[in-house]
Structure formats: structure tokens, C-alpha cells
Amino acid sequence: MTTIIDRSFVNILATVLLILSMSVARAENTSGADAVKAASVDFFNSVSQRNLVAVASYLDTEGFTEFVAESDKLLQLDANAFGGLFKSGAKIDLRLGDIQVKATVDAAIVTGTRVGAITKPGVAVVEGKSLITMVWFKKENAWLLKHIHLSPVTGNQ
């Protein structure tokens, strides 16, 4: 009789511990998703404000890769690339919307829309809208941007 009760108690305790650990993991992922969403918004706000220190805080040494419709090559963007952009005199106004985040403990994918433009000096601003996918990884408790893929929204989309 004691063995049956002990096994039942152990099984119940194991089930409770499993449920608790799943709840903690879900809470961590939710807080991770919130942190990545905030980082994504702040990244583009910082680019628009020409804040190189803030932009660089989201980059690893090698920066991140980016696919854009205007290029047939995979771009590699690092802090030096942003420094050059900020000194170029280009008008910069970029914002995120419709943000969705899927996060694990150390990786996240952000999807949504990027609205705005980077416009060369002396050229009229033409605001665009692109679908965006961003890939983030967590390294030493910081979320770092690893890849952006942009697809322009055209026509009736």
C-alpha cells in the first residue's frame, strides 16, 4: 500500500514540476518576445535619429546580413556602414508596424512592415512600405540582429 501511494505521489509531483517548468519557459519566451519587439522598434528609431551608439548596441562585430529588392547581392551591414550612412546627409525615416514575434530562449524571428525611406540629399522623399523579417540571437543577455529580409509592398497588397 505504501509503495502505491509513494508512486502516485511521485507521479503527481513530477507532473506538477513539469507544468511549472513549462509555465516558466513560456514566461521567459514571452519576455524574450517583448524584449525583441522593443529592440526591433528601437533599432529603426535609432537609425532614423542617427544614433550610432544605440544602433551598434544591437550589432555583433560582423554586423548583420540584409536582402533588399534593389540589390541582387546579400548585403553585410555593420556599425561602419551605418556611420557612413549617417554622415552622408541622407534623410532617414524608418518605422516598424504590424510587428509579430516568435521567440525561444536565445533566438527570435520578427515579422511586420517597415515604412519610410532613406533618401539621398537633394532628392524628394518617397515613402515606401516593405514586408520585413528580422532574425535576432541572444548573446551574453543582449539581443543582436543577425539578418533582415525586405520585400517591397507594391500594387494592391
Side-chain angles (χ1 to χ4, degrees):
M1 178 101 163
T2 303
T3 305
I4 293 173
I5 293 173
D6 289 346
R7 284 185 192 159
S8 295
F9 178 75
V10 168
N11 288 339
I12 291 170
L13 184 59
T15 302
V16 168
L17 289 174
L18 178 62
I19 290 169
L20 286 173
S21 69
M22 289 171 60
S23 296
V24 169
R26 186 175 302 125
E28 287 175 1
N29 290 346
T30 300
S31 66
D34 292 343
V36 172
K37 182 176 182 178
S40 299
V41 169
D42 187 59
F43 175 78
F44 283 109
N45 287 341
S46 298
V47 170
S48 295
Q49 295 167 3
R50 293 172 154 57
N51 184 340
L52 187 56
V53 172
V55 170
S57 73
Y58 296 113
L59 306 179
D60 225 346
T61 306
E62 73 276 1
F64 64 94
T65 54
E66 182 176 78
F67 276 125
V68 294
E70 299 84 17
S71 176
D72 61 351
K73 296 178 182 166
L74 180 65
L75 305 175
Q76 183 74 36
L77 302 174
D78 60 12
N80 290 330
F82 283 97
L85 172 64
F86 297 164
K87 291 176 185 173
S88 74
K91 295 175 188 169
I92 307 169
D93 180 20
L94 299 171
R95 305 167 307 282
L96 285 183
D98 306 320
I99 303 166
Q100 301 292 316
V101 180
K102 299 290 184 192
T104 64
V105 174
D106 59 0
I109 297 174
V110 175
T111 57
T113 54
R114 189 189 78 175
V115 180
I118 298 174
T119 309
K120 294 179 182 177
V123 177
V125 174
V126 178
E127 189 168 274
K129 183 176 184 179
S130 296
L131 302 176
I132 188 169
T133 302
M134 303 171 80
V135 179
W136 294 82
F137 287 98
K138 194 171 190 180
K139 179 179 176 184
E140 298 172 5
N141 290 324
W143 286 100
L144 302 176
L145 182 59
K146 292 308 233 174
H147 180 73
I148 293 179
H149 187 111
L150 294 164
S151 299
V153 176
T154 58
N156 295 327
Q157 292 181 343

